[in-house]
Amino acid sequence: MLLEALRLALSTVFRNKLRSFLTVLGIVIGVASVIAMVTVGQGSTAQVQSDVASLGSNLLMIRPGAPGRGPGGGSNDATPLTLADMQALLRYVPDIVAATPSSSRSQTVVFGEMNHTVQVTGTDDAYFGIRGWTLDFGRIFSDGEMRIGTPVCVLGTTTSVALIGEGNPVGTTIRVGKISCEVIGLLAKREASTFGQDDNDIIVMPLKAFQRRISGNKNVQSISVTFRDGAKAEDVTTQIQSLMRERRKLTGDQSDDFNVFDMKQISSVLTGITGVLTGLLSAVAAISLLVGGIGIMNIMLVSVTERTREIGIRMAVGATESQVLMQFLVEAIVLSLIGGILGILLGLGLGALGSYALNIGFLPDYRIVVASFIFSAVVGVVFGYFPARRAARLDPIEALRHQ
Amino acid sequence: MTAAATPMLELRHLSKIYGVDEAKVYALNDVNLSVQKGEFIAVMGPSGSGKSSAMNILGCLDTPTSGQYLLFGTDVTGLDRDQRALLRRHFLGFIFQGFNLLARTTALENVELPLIYQGIPAEERRERSMDALIKVGLQGRADHRPSELSGGQQQRVAIARAIVTKPGLILADEPTGNLDSARGREIMELLVQLNREEGLSVLMVTHEPDMADYANRIVTFVDGKIQSDKVRDRHAA
Ligand SMILES: Nc1ncnc2c1ncn2[C@@H]1O[C@H](COP(=O)(O)OP(=O)(O)OP(=O)(O)O)[C@@H](O)[C@H]1O
Ligand SMILES: [Mg+2]
């Protein structure tokens, strides 16, 4: 009997293809947006997590400026950091195992006819280890180059491709701002981009060269440190804060004019934001599913009215209430499942597109696919039940008399 | 009072009232009727005399306001909707004036419909429905839709649908009302044949004395009451 109901429902649904399609459009859109959202959301969450992993664990970053701003927004009227600060940190905070200074500035770089604007960072050799970079070609700075401030640079793949093209750029000389700079290394491509920003678009040079030739001062914009495994980020932060307060001669009632960021914590906040966004958009999608369900209910009600006579005939030849109920319920479920399946396909397609556009991994979650499928069946049951019951409760005589 | 076999169906003091208070209409007023198995009864009477009301109650499509309706000695007025549906499914066959076929569905599928609700497997369903279509002379029309059939052919599909379950009683409310008299006679001859050969009991409402001539008993309603009830020789068919 269920098989018969299914056969009947399919033939009814396919007899009116356009109408059926319009009926399920709400479900299609709802399911597709849930799936696309979740797919892209999960992709970007995984992205943030892999960014965190590539940052290396146990990373803290110190920047001048009052706390309460993001890692990029330290105010510049605060006393700048210096290399001496970094050396003091390494010496007096025993939990710190490595430290690297960095200063960055956006520069126009030129090679032959090619022009490219890129973030140029001056730092030392510890930078690569702390930030989790490896090299595809060439080498990093030597001690001599760092001491003297030789204008040599290591390129990210995006920068290298944009300026020089595919392949090994080592040995070429490029113009960075006003200076000529020899390329000595190429960073391995990182499959990472933090929220659409390409990590591989980068030039790294010795801090001294950067200070002398680009920034023109002895300032260090930030110091990144890693601390030993087992130490707590909060404890290390406290130690850094007291040392820095001392070095910056802050008295008891003065507040910090520098900031210590726990990169992991920032990343988890970012992950949280992604989660909230996904949740929000999913709520919107859920509402569209609800609207889709009401659309199905509406059409089913119309259909029951249109087919009153048919229902009467079926009752006259012996259909029971539950059989009529089943017929219409199955029809509603078939409709919403068709919507669900179309929505899943569309959602996965959009998710793949979105992941590609945002340059993050395509991570479809089969659980959400299964959940969408079940949910659309539930929508069919919930919103089909009322019209189906109306059909089943019809009085056979009234139904037969219906024109 | 003893030896008479229990009638197939019996109406006792049956009334059907529509409306309330001043608007009250006695569609049936204290009707008593008894029908034996194998009878072919024509129900006649002026418009509004309660013929259809009686048929609907006999067909378990409607319930009386008061009185009893006994099927093989069992009162069925107290049955619930599902039980009445089962009675219709297994014991009754309907033929309507307006044919009442499912549009956009072939003749064969229309005839199969009651068998679907009986839970008969697809293959047997097909076979029995084809047999029924052959019986009503529509072997070549199984795949036609109602809109592709003449009125007389549509009514034969309806008859095939009514007899495919081998019911005990066929209820026909003006089965020839929408047909010309030649087509009407064809239908009547078919019903008489089924009545004779298959032992089907037939209760048929008609306005036309010509058609009533095919019956062996004529019950006449006037104002919701049975005015006359005559057993007679069947018209030479
Ligand atoms: N659903 C209804 N509501 C109110 N009154 C009704 C209803 N159905 C029938 N009646 C009334 O009951 C009476 C009997 O109607 P019924 O349909 O049984 O007559 P009939 O003998 O079949 O007439 P006809 O020959 O015109 O078909 C009529 O007065 C009619 O108006
Ligand atoms: Mg009538």
Side-chain angles (χ1 to χ4, degrees), chain A residues 1 4 15 309-310 313-321 323 327 392-397 400-401, chain B residues 18 56 61-62 81-82 85-86 88-89 94 96 98 100-102 104-105 109 113-114 116-117 125 161:
Chain A
M1 198 58 229
E4 286 299 333
R15 188 179 292 152
R309 202 179 173 82
E310 174 194 329
I313 294 169
R314 289 177 182 278
M315 287 176 161
V317 301
T320 55
E321 231 174 90
Q323 284 170 324
Q327 178 189 336
R393 293 274 174 88
L394 282 175
D395 180 38
I397 308 207
L400 278 170
R401 262 197 213 122
Chain B
Y18 289 109
N56 290 339
L61 289 167
D62 204 356
R81 276 173 64 110
D82 279 356
L86 291 181
R88 293 196 293 271
R89 183 189 295 176
F94 292 92
F96 303 94
N100 273 341
L101 299 175
L102 296 183
R104 296 199 276 193
T105 304
E109 287 167 333
L113 193 62
I116 291 178
Y117 290 111
R125 224 156 60 200
R161 183 180 64 191

Side-chain angles (χ1 to χ4, degrees), chain A residues 241-259:
Chain A
Q241 279 167 339
S242 62
L243 178 70
M244 291 304 292
R245 285 185 70 86
E246 200 179 302
R247 289 184 59 80
R248 293 163 85 85
K249 304 191 170 54
L250 297 175
T251 54
D253 56 345
Q254 281 177 292
S255 56
D256 289 355
D257 62 350
F258 61 92
N259 215 337

Side-chain angles (χ1 to χ4, degrees), chain A residues 398 401, chain B residues 18 25 27 46-53 174 207:
Chain A
E398 296 295 328
R401 262 197 213 122
Chain B
Y18 289 109
V25 177
S47 184
S49 56
K51 305 181 295 291
S52 294
S53 303
E174 304 191 41
H207 282 284

Side-chain angles (χ1 to χ4, degrees), chain B residues 144-158:
Chain B
H144 289 231
R145 297 182 171 196
S147 57
E148 298 160 350
L149 295 171
S150 72
Q153 288 170 331
Q154 289 184 56
Q155 194 59 301
R156 287 186 213 208
V157 174

Side-chain angles (χ1 to χ4, degrees), chain B residues 210-231:
Chain B
D210 281 2
M211 302 300 158
D213 272 353
Y214 287 88
N216 53 19
R217 180 175 164 194
I218 298 179
V219 175
T220 308
F221 279 76
V222 174
D223 282 344
K225 291 182 194 275
I226 294 182
Q227 192 203 43
S228 71
D229 184 347
K230 294 185 190 118
V231 179

